[in-house]
């Protein structure tokens, strides 16, 4: 269908004020935070209710038009990029917190509600939404659910899947389903587990009941500098071996510090090769004891400097390196690609050395800031994508790192999803039988390949063309 007819069709379904088209607007929706793969949609629609999402989906199916769900577009694997054009279904106007049930520690939010706003709504009741991706001031509940997002506090509190009770889903044919239950105990096959982490490939989530967690009584935070990344990662293993499960255990290497100095004037011990941020929370005596043990370990294992926060302001200052690190990387180069492999924690020291070696042999800059406690790496390659051949080098380096994660018994993604980025490596990782099972399960929801095409599953209709287009553009 040509673009004009498509825009007319969507306007007839939703009204003019909920449809945006035109080259300038589409430029804003042609990628997510994985900016090396782009394709513009024909239009973006902004439904406000479940039944409007349903009408959009039905129209798309009747007219064989691909559609791509989108929250805030902060995804790091190209999940919200409209690979075959068509319609982007934005949840930007579905941002309400519909109900806080403090007594039962849960909350009903629309899919476009921003993660940190959910916790703000729960705060007066002494509660919060525990999943806290570093993008939490902008990323949405719909995006968090579909990526099964983690965050710095995943080590103790788990990923989004552990905090979702029920979703309302418009399936790829336009049927509305309520999946899961506000109260525990939901018999039958765990369809909720299937929707969480499905990356927008089994429909559009419009609302969700989320589990709320009590705010911890006490929080202790400290930042330790080490002369080398190896020394810092060895300390991570030592903390866990001690039987401590900190709320957060995050690492940043020297190149992140260079970016932070350049962007915000932040300085750390001059010989710092890596920083380790640790946070212990819970009841006062338990959190305090855990932090004392961590600080002892830092000192015993050669920390150059240990800074402990004594109030909320200092705590926020210590977190700055972690929270603003990615943003600061814009100072190093115009383009960043962040990988997300997972390995057993005990292999972190060797794995980081492998990352540095791959970057150096590929002639790429790399900085690491990651969830060390979970063994969830985030090597960020920084480069200028206008340089000929550069994108191919970045892909090749990324594949080497992901293959190494698999060799070490890990996974190709901890929290950023497969998207378009890792379709190939994920498919190679699974056996043919496992891949067939995954595809068969998706086909229970979707046989048209119109709902978020070219994501996660290989060999979908029209996606050869997508691969050719963007790999071709990379040369
Ligand atoms: C600076 C930065 C820091 C980050 N830190 C973390 C981190 O600590 N942990 C982490 O896990 N991730 C992190 N991310 C990645 C990203 O923020 C998360 O994946 C987030 O959950 C995406 O939310 P979003 O609203 O931006 O979703 P989008 O990027 O818009 O979409 C993500 C995927 O979900 C689908 N989707 C979105 N909404 C819906 C819906 N309502 N129904 C169905 N499908 C939908 C999309 O189609 C897409 O496949 C970070 C990203 C950035 C840029």
């Amino acid at each position: 269908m040509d673009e004009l007819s498509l825009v007319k069709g969507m306007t007839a379904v939703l009204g003019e004020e909920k449809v945006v088209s035109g080259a300038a607007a589409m430029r804003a929706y042609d990628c997510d935070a994985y900016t090396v793969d782009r394709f513009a949609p024909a239009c973006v629609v902004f439904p406000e209710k479940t039944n409007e999402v349903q009408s959009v989906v039905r129209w798309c199916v009747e007219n064989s038009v691909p559609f791509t769900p989108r929250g805030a577009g902060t995804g790091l694997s190209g999940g919200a990029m409209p690979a075959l054009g068509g319609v982007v279904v934005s949840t930007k106007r579905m941002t309400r917190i519909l109900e806080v049930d403090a007594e039962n520690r849960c909350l009903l939010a629309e899919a476009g509600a921003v993660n940190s706003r959910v916790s703000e709504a729960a705060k007066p009741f002494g509660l919060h939404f525990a999943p806290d991706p570093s993008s939490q001031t902008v990323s949405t509940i719909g995006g968090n659910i579909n990526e099964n997002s983690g965050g710095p506090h995943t080590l103790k509190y788990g990923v989004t899947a552990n905090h979702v009770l029920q979703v309302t889903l418009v399936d790829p044919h336009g049927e509305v389903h309520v999946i899961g239950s506000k109260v525990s105990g939901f018999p039958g096959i765990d369809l909720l587990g299937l929707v969480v982490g499905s990356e927008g490939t089994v429909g559009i989530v419009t609302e969700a009941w989320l589990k709320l967690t009590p705010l911890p009584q006490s929080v202790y935070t400290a930042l330790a500098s080490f002369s080398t990344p190896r020394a810092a990662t060895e300390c991570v293993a030592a903390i866990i071996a001690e039987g401590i499960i900190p709320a957060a255990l995050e690492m940043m290497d020297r190149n992140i510090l260079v970016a932070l100095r350049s962007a915000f004037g932040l300085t750390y011990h001059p010989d710092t090769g890596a920083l380790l941020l640790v946070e212990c929370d819970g009841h006062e005596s338990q959190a305090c004891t855990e932090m004392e043990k961590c600080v002892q370990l830092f000192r015993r294992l050669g920390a150059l400097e240990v800074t402990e926060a004594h109030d909320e302001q200092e705590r926020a200052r210590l977190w700055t390196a972690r929270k603003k690190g990615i943003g600061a990387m814009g100072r190093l180069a115009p383009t960043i690609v962040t990988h997300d492999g997972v390995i057993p924690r005990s292999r972190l020291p060797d794995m980081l050395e492998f990352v540095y070696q791959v970057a150096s042999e590929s002639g790429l800059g790399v900085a690491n800031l990651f969830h060390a406690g979970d063994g969830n790496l985030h090597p960020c390659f920084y480069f200028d994508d206008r340089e000929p051949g550069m994108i191919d080098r970045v892909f090749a380096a990324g594949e080497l790192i992901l293959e190494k994660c698999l060799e070490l018994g890990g996974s190709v993604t901890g929290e950023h999803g497969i998207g378009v980025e890792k379709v190939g490596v994920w498919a190679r990782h699974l056996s043919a039988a496992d891949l067939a099972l995954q595809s068969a399960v998706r086909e229970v929801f979707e046989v048209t390949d119109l709902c978020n095409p070219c994501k996660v599953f290989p060999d979908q209709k029209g996606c050869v063309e997508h691969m050719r287009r963007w790999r071709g553009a990379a040369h």
Side-chain angles (χ1 to χ4, degrees):
M1 174 179 289
D2 68 81
E3 231 170 90
L4 198 60
S5 316
L6 199 158
V7 174
K8 267 192 186 160
M10 277 291 98
T11 307
V13 171
L14 283 181
E16 213 172 301
E17 74 288 359
K18 293 178 191 164
V19 181
V20 169
S21 60
M26 291 317 98
R27 184 91 177 100
Y29 290 91
D30 69 3
C31 69
D32 59 8
Y34 179 66
T35 57
V36 292
D37 191 351
R38 294 171 181 266
F39 198 61
C43 69
V44 183
V45 297
F46 299 91
E48 294 177 5
K49 296 186 197 108
T50 298
N51 65 349
E52 290 183 350
V53 173
Q54 183 179 34
S55 305
V56 168
V57 169
R58 285 193 168 156
W59 186 91
C60 286
V61 173
E62 274 159 29
N63 294 282
S64 299
V65 170
F67 56 96
T68 302
R70 184 176 179 106
T74 66
L76 288 164
S77 57
M81 185 271 301
L84 298 182
V87 177
V88 164
V89 184
S90 167
T91 56
K92 269 280 156 61
R93 294 196 193 160
M94 302 179 74
T95 59
R96 288 175 307 158
I97 309 288
L98 298 168
E99 192 180 332
V100 183
D101 182 350
E103 210 179 349
N104 292 303
R105 292 188 182 164
C106 54
L107 173 154
L108 178 64
E110 289 184 322
V114 167
N115 173 301
S116 58
R117 274 206 52 235
V118 169
S119 280
E120 278 162 30
K123 198 173 174 188
F125 307 96
L127 300 167
H128 74 300
F129 181 55
D132 63 337
S134 302
S135 57
Q136 70 180 142
T137 53
V138 281
S139 67
T140 64
I141 291 303
N144 298 169
I145 290 174
N146 275 276
E147 294 291 356
N148 191 13
S149 291
H153 291 87
T154 292
L155 180 59
K156 181 167 178 179
Y157 293 98
V159 287
T160 301
N162 306 112
H163 303 271
V164 181
L165 297 167
Q166 181 183 294
V167 296
T168 302
L169 178 85
V170 178
D171 78 13
H173 306 280
E175 289 301 319
V176 178
H177 305 273
V178 175
I179 297 174
S181 162
K182 191 189 154 187
V183 294
S184 60
F186 189 71
I189 291 173
D190 181 10
L191 294 182
L192 183 63
L194 205 149
V195 171
V196 178
S198 60
E199 302 188 32
T201 63
V202 299
I204 305 183
V205 172
T206 56
E207 289 177 9
W209 274 102
L210 306 171
K211 195 187 283 180
L212 299 175
T213 304
L215 286 163
Q217 189 186 49
S218 297
V219 181
Y220 286 84
T221 310
L223 191 68
S225 27
F226 291 85
S227 55
T228 61
R230 178 169 276 276
T233 45
E234 282 172 353
C235 197
V236 170
I239 289 174
I240 303 292
E242 193 75 7
I244 304 168
I245 302 290
L249 190 48
E250 300 281 306
M251 197 183 126
M252 296 128 281
D253 75 2
R254 190 196 300 273
N255 283 346
I256 290 289
L257 306 189
V258 172
L260 285 164
R261 190 179 317 123
S262 159
F264 305 112
L266 291 171
T267 52
Y268 299 93
H269 189 290
D271 298 328
T272 304
L275 288 176
L276 211 54
L277 184 138
V278 65
E279 189 154 276
C280 298
D281 70 8
H283 288 294
E284 170 59 25
S285 63
Q286 170 224 331
C288 178
T289 311
E290 285 186 351
M291 182 52 86
E292 276 170 11
K293 284 189 188 166
C294 289
V295 171
Q296 278 166 14
L297 276 172
F298 286 157
R299 297 198 194 286
R300 191 171 350 125
L301 294 174
L304 301 168
E305 192 172 67
V306 180
T307 313
E308 290 181 72
H310 297 289
D311 56 35
E312 202 40 49
Q313 212 178 341
E314 281 185 46
R315 179 178 170 231
R317 193 173 58 76
L318 296 189
W319 270 101
T320 310
R322 177 62 185 95
K323 298 249 164 163
K324 297 206 167 166
I326 284 268
M329 286 194 56
R331 294 293 174 125
L332 300 180
T335 316
I336 298 166
V337 167
T338 305
H339 286 282
D340 174 40
V342 190
I343 48 153
R345 268 185 303 255
S346 58
R347 307 305 301 268
L348 272 176
D350 295 338
M351 183 68 205
L352 265 190
E353 272 167 21
F354 181 77
V355 168
Y356 292 126
Q357 185 195 328
V358 167
S360 148
E361 286 171 5
S362 314
L364 297 168
V366 72
N368 292 277
L369 83 169
F370 61 100
H371 311 306
D374 299 304
N376 187 188
L377 297 168
H378 289 341
C380 308
F381 290 118
Y382 50 90
F383 54 97
D384 187 340
D385 63 356
R386 292 164 298 189
E387 213 178 288
M390 185 53 94
I391 291 190
D392 278 344
R393 266 150 64 195
V394 173
F395 291 149
E399 293 224 344
L400 285 176
I401 287 170
L402 296 181
E403 297 289 356
K404 185 75 175 176
C405 290
L406 293 176
E407 188 189 311
L408 295 178
S411 157
V412 296
T413 174
E415 55 182 21
H416 296 168
I418 304 290
V420 277
E421 183 203 13
K422 302 183 207 82
V423 172
V425 71
W426 181 70
R428 284 202 301 281
H429 171 43
L430 295 183
S431 70
D434 287 349
L435 190 57
L437 184 61
Q438 290 263 350
S439 303
V441 170
R442 186 200 182 204
E443 279 166 19
V444 171
F445 290 83
E446 157 71 319
V447 285
T448 61
D449 281 348
L450 292 173
C451 181
N452 210 2
C454 311
K455 312 297 165 65
V456 186
F457 300 92
D459 304 326
Q460 295 176 47
K461 278 178 228 152
C463 296
V464 172
E465 182 200 326
H466 161 256
M467 286 303 291
R468 203 178 296 130
R469 186 184 71 234
W470 77 284
R471 292 309 289 248
H475 289 289

